[in-house]
Amino acid sequence: MPSRASRLFPREAIIPLATSLLALAAWEALVDSGLLRAAFFPAPTNIARTIFDLAVGGELWRHAGTTLARLMASFLMASVPGTALGLAMGWWMGMRTAADPLVRLLFPIPSIAFFPVVIFYLGLSEWGLLLTAAITPFLLIAVQSAAAVESLERTLLEAGRNYGASGRRLFLQVILPAALPRLFIGYRLALGVGFIVTVAVEMIAAKHGLGGFLWHSWQILRIEEMYVGLVLIGLLGILVTYGLEALASRLMPWQADMLRLKGQR
């Protein structure tokens, strides 16, 4: 039976934590020794102090909350229609024939490249920012959703039909659960891409949010605040990624059990 210490500090978390602490300690030592210029590479302790001051003043929460809200809104705008289109493309040949060429044409274009076009129609508005951040995740989810359905084994569908599943019941009880693992791979990739684009667009066209905060800090040479922005972007990325993994584990408990048996968790 695992000890209390092993439950509080699992082995999978100890190594990354120890590595991070060693890296921060080395950074601090290099700054103290003068090998790194503090003007451009502030010591981690100074960055931590700046984070505390911004958190107490409320500015940190305002920018982080704005970016998180934009990320969740753009991800919702991408995931719902993207999943619907992808599943339809994977299940119906006619839909795949009609939509696949357009998806393949747009997929290689980075989301940020659509920003000038979006500005023409929506201006420098919140909707324009959200739409720009949602385009590539939408296409990525559509492609992955179609692949998830196309990769289903024929024997699985035949078994479902033999047990009386057809139409909506076949889709909800057989196709969707079987496709979920690959769907969540697409969601995770799309969330990462959406986060990158959200921060990039904030740097270009937003005063609020972590991207805007980072860019403004660079413009006025508040270097410690610039590093605070980088740290918060990284931490927020970790938060949303692990949050999505936790949701996947809740929706697919059998998948987590299989990974444990394979020694991957």
Side-chain angles (χ1 to χ4, degrees), residues 45-236:
T45 51
N46 292 336
I47 297 173
R49 192 177 301 112
T50 304
I51 291 176
F52 178 79
D53 293 338
L54 291 172
V56 171
E59 187 176 3
L60 183 151
W61 308 113
R62 183 169 65 253
H63 289 298
T66 299
T67 297
L68 182 60
R70 284 173 177 152
L71 176 61
M72 292 297 100
S74 62
F75 181 70
L76 188 64
M77 291 170 61
S79 59
V80 174
T83 302
L85 175 62
L87 293 177
M89 288 173 60
W91 189 245
W92 288 294
M93 177 65 72
M95 178 62 74
R96 181 163 64 252
T97 303
D100 190 63
L102 182 60
V103 171
R104 290 180 182 273
L105 174 67
L106 297 177
F107 185 69
I109 304 175
S111 264
I112 197 71
F114 289 102
F115 192 50
V117 179
V118 173
I119 291 175
F120 282 133
Y121 292 96
L122 299 177
L124 289 173
S125 63
E126 192 69 19
W127 280 110
L129 191 154
L130 295 177
L131 180 60
T132 303
I135 293 173
T136 297
F138 162 77
L139 295 170
L140 198 157
I141 291 171
V143 170
Q144 185 67 18
S145 300
V149 176
E150 292 171 359
S151 65
L152 294 180
E153 296 183 6
R154 186 178 183 87
T155 54
L156 179 67
L157 302 178
E158 292 176 350
R161 291 191 179 99
N162 290 336
Y163 279 96
S166 61
R168 182 179 178 183
R169 185 181 174 191
L170 178 67
F171 176 79
L172 293 177
Q173 297 185 3
V174 179
I175 296 174
L176 188 58
L180 271 180
R182 293 197 65 170
L183 286 178
F184 267 90
I185 293 174
Y187 293 155
R188 183 174 180 179
L189 294 173
L191 190 63
V193 172
F195 190 29
I196 292 170
V197 178
T198 298
V199 172
V201 176
E202 284 181 344
M203 293 178 70
I204 297 172
K207 295 181 179 179
H208 301 292
L210 292 177
F213 172 76
L214 174 64
W215 186 249
H216 179 70
S217 301
W218 177 83
Q219 287 180 316
I220 61 176
L221 293 179
R222 291 183 177 176
I223 304 302
E224 290 179 354
E225 291 188 3
M226 185 184 74
Y227 277 88
V228 169
L230 292 172
V231 169
L232 291 179
I233 289 170
L235 291 176
L236 192 59

Side-chain angles (χ1 to χ4, degrees), residues 184 191 236-250:
F184 267 90
L191 190 63
L236 192 59
I238 292 173
L239 175 65
V240 296
T241 299
Y242 279 101
L244 187 62
E245 286 187 354
L247 177 61
S249 297
R250 292 291 297 271

